[in-house]
Structures are given as C-alpha cells and as structure tokens.
Amino acid sequence: MSESVNPDALASRKVLVIDDSNTIRRSAEIFLKQGGYEVVLAEDGFDALSKVNDHAPDVIFCDILMPRLDGYQTCAIIKRNPRFTHTPVIMLSSKDGLFDKARGRMVGSQDYLTKPFTKDQLLQAVAQYTA
C-alpha cells in the first residue's frame, strides 16, 4: 500500500506571523496560505503573546523592530514558556547583520529571514521546521 500525504496534516500546521507592517503580514499570509498552512497574524509582541497561547502555532515568524515589545523580547518571553520551548521562532528583519542574527540566537530563535522575503524563502523556512 502506498502512503499518501494527508491533506489535513498539512492544513493543521499553524504559522504565526508577528510584524507591525500590514504589508509584510499580508504578504506572508498570502504566501503561507498558498503553501497550505493555517495562518495567524499579530501586529506586535503583546498581541502575539496572547495568540501564541490561544493558537499554539507550529512555527513563529517574528519581526525584530516593533513598538512596545521588540522581537527579541517577544521571542525570549515565548521561549520562557515551557509549552513553547521547542516551537521554532524565525526572526524577520530588513537588516542582515551578524549582530542581529547572534542576538536572535541568544534569545532562542532558530533562524533568521531577511525582508523582503520571497514566497519560496518563507515556505522553505516553514518546511524546514515542520518536517
């Protein structure tokens, strides 16, 4: 018997996108939905914290530069919760600096994606951490 991929298994993959830019959130949402993922959007760190608890995403994309609670603080708070210690967090930034990547790793992020990202880059990052 050949094994087929259960479409429900893919659809049940939830991705949280945290970014204060409406354009980035909408682009990510379109790309991810085209890839078959369920998408939850948050416009800042505080918004994200309640959505992480409510939706328990499989992967989180988190912008670094946001008002009130930046991406590093948001990632650190998420990672402190035992329920989400193993949830991959991928930082998003328009800066491609070594310091930003290192700081992201220090607060528990698994990866780093430079904006603007392509559909392929986004879907590849999700696939890498949900496989």
Side-chain angles (χ1 to χ4, degrees):
M1 213 193 283
S2 68
E3 285 189 32
S4 62
V5 175
N6 177 355
D8 293 336
L10 231 189
S12 67
R13 297 283 186 203
K14 261 188 225 163
V15 181
L16 173 62
V17 178
I18 312 162
D19 201 300
D20 59 330
S21 161
N22 190 44
T23 308
I24 296 290
R25 282 196 314 274
R26 293 294 166 218
S27 299
E29 180 180 34
I30 290 164
F31 294 159
L32 291 164
K33 283 188 173 175
Q34 287 172 348
Y37 297 98
E38 189 179 327
V39 184
V40 179
L41 302 174
E43 56 190 48
D44 64 33
F46 288 109
D47 187 24
L49 295 177
S50 65
K51 288 185 175 171
V52 166
N53 263 324
D54 293 347
H55 298 279
D58 297 293
V59 177
I60 300 168
F61 286 95
C62 185
D63 184 24
I64 291 175
L65 296 172
M66 295 185 292
R68 301 195 308 159
L69 199 62
D70 73 21
Y72 299 122
Q73 295 166 313
T74 303
C75 180
I77 292 167
I78 291 168
K79 289 297 191 170
R80 259 187 244 134
N81 183 329
R83 213 175 131 204
F84 304 109
T85 304
H86 301 293
T87 303
V89 176
I90 300 162
M91 303 308 277
L92 296 174
S93 179
S94 48
K95 295 189 292 182
D96 194 12
L98 202 58
F99 174 78
D100 293 311
K101 291 179 181 179
R103 191 166 171 208
R105 292 251 191 266
M106 285 169 52
V107 295
S109 75
Q110 272 63 36
D111 212 338
Y112 191 98
L113 204 57
T114 306
K115 298 190 284 190
F117 44 77
T118 65
K119 176 182 174 181
D120 288 344
Q121 288 172 315
L122 196 65
L123 294 177
Q124 191 175 1
V126 176
Q128 183 180 344
Y129 292 103
T130 58

